[in-house]
Each structure stands twice: as structure tokens, then as C-alpha cells.
Amino acid sequence: MFIKTTYFYAIPESFSKGKVFLDDNETHHLVNVLRAKEGDEFLVTNGAGELFRCRLSKWYKKGAVAEIVEKKENIPSPTIDICLGMGLIKSKLMELALDWAIQLGISRFVPIITDYTQKEFLQKGKKYSRFEKIAISAIKQSLRTHL
């Protein structure tokens, strides 16, 4: 079976010697949600414009190993560079806005701190990892290859 409804994401360091190593979140989505079996093929991006067709070799609870069947051509970054500057609002609404904006095609997000910014965002870097997860999820869902 070839899974083409979504891309999977792996950091560039996860690719080596014709194999890619998926983390536990990607493995859970691939194996438990989409019910992939060993030998099934799917597409993986590294967030830098490269796309790989991979075949699931083995999976474990904490990750999976897939062999790279072919490297698709490098997909250039979009010619239009859209940057969204947005005041920080309540957490759930902020996550929703970020998700939709990335799916629509923004390439950069700049949070703007104003007098009315929510206090939770003022702690440096507290929400960065959560925003990064949302961005990765959005590029996978919208079949983009640039993070």
C-alpha cells in the first residue's frame, strides 16, 4: 500500500545510509492511525524542500526505520515569501491561527508583543516547542516540504 494522504516529517539528522528514522509521534501516526504494515510506502520530508519515498522496514514503540526507495526532486522554496506578524492572543486561538496560516502558505511567523499580550507568552521560549509542533503538523497536512 502507498500512503499519499499526508507527508511524514523527520529532522535532517535522521537520514543516513539510505534509511530514515522516524520518532515515536510519526511512528504512532503511521502505524496506529493509518495502519501501515512493514513494506508499505509513504512520503517523508526533512523540512528543507527534500521529499523521499520510503518503505517501512521495522517499527517499534519508540520509533521506526524505513528504507529510502527514491528521492523525489528537490522542491524549491515558494517564490513569494509571506511573513505574518501577529500580536500574541490566547493560547488555543494562537495555535489555531498559526496552523491555518501555515496551511495557507506563510513562510515566516513573527510574534508581536504588545501591551495586551497574554502573560504566558512573556516567558522566553516557553511556547516555542509547541509552536514548532504545530508548524510541523501543518506542513505535513498541507503537503509542503519547507518548514
Side-chain angles (χ1 to χ4, degrees):
M1 177 174 79
F2 181 64
I3 300 170
K4 55 185 171 186
T5 56
T6 185
Y7 288 169
F8 293 87
Y9 174 77
I11 59 174
E13 293 79 27
S14 296
F15 294 85
S16 71
K17 298 180 182 174
K19 296 189 185 294
V20 61
F21 303 94
L22 300 176
D23 66 11
D24 57 344
N25 291 331
E26 296 296 309
T27 301
H28 170 75
H29 186 74
L30 179 64
V31 175
N32 296 336
V33 176
L34 297 175
R35 308 256 191 257
K37 305 284 186 231
E38 291 180 6
D40 287 352
E41 293 186 359
F42 54 96
L43 297 170
V44 179
T45 182
N46 62 2
E50 295 179 320
L51 187 63
F52 302 89
R53 193 174 99 216
C54 300
R55 183 177 300 121
L56 184 60
S57 299
K58 293 182 182 179
W59 63 273
Y60 310 95
K61 194 167 186 102
K62 294 288 183 183
V65 179
E67 64 180 79
I68 298 172
V69 175
E70 77 172 298
K71 179 180 178 185
K72 301 280 189 180
E73 60 187 69
N74 283 353
I75 299 168
S77 60
T79 55
I80 298 175
D81 195 23
I82 301 171
C83 179
L84 173 65
M86 183 174 167
L88 298 172
I89 55 178
K90 290 186 179 181
S91 187
K92 292 291 179 190
L93 295 174
M94 189 69 198
E95 292 174 5
L96 189 62
L98 180 62
D99 184 24
W100 285 354
I102 290 171
Q103 287 186 42
L104 288 172
I106 68 163
S107 52
R108 278 184 281 152
F109 174 75
V110 179
I112 298 173
I113 297 174
T114 66
D115 291 338
Y116 299 102
T117 297
Q118 295 292 311
K119 303 286 186 245
E120 63 190 272
F121 291 109
L122 297 178
Q123 296 176 6
K124 190 172 186 177
K126 182 179 177 188
K127 292 286 184 175
Y128 179 78
S129 65
R130 177 70 184 143
F131 286 167
E132 185 178 42
K133 286 179 184 177
I134 291 168
I136 290 170
S137 173
I139 67 161
K140 293 186 317 184
Q141 187 173 358
S142 60
L143 304 179
R144 292 175 54 189
T145 57
H146 288 274
L147 178 62

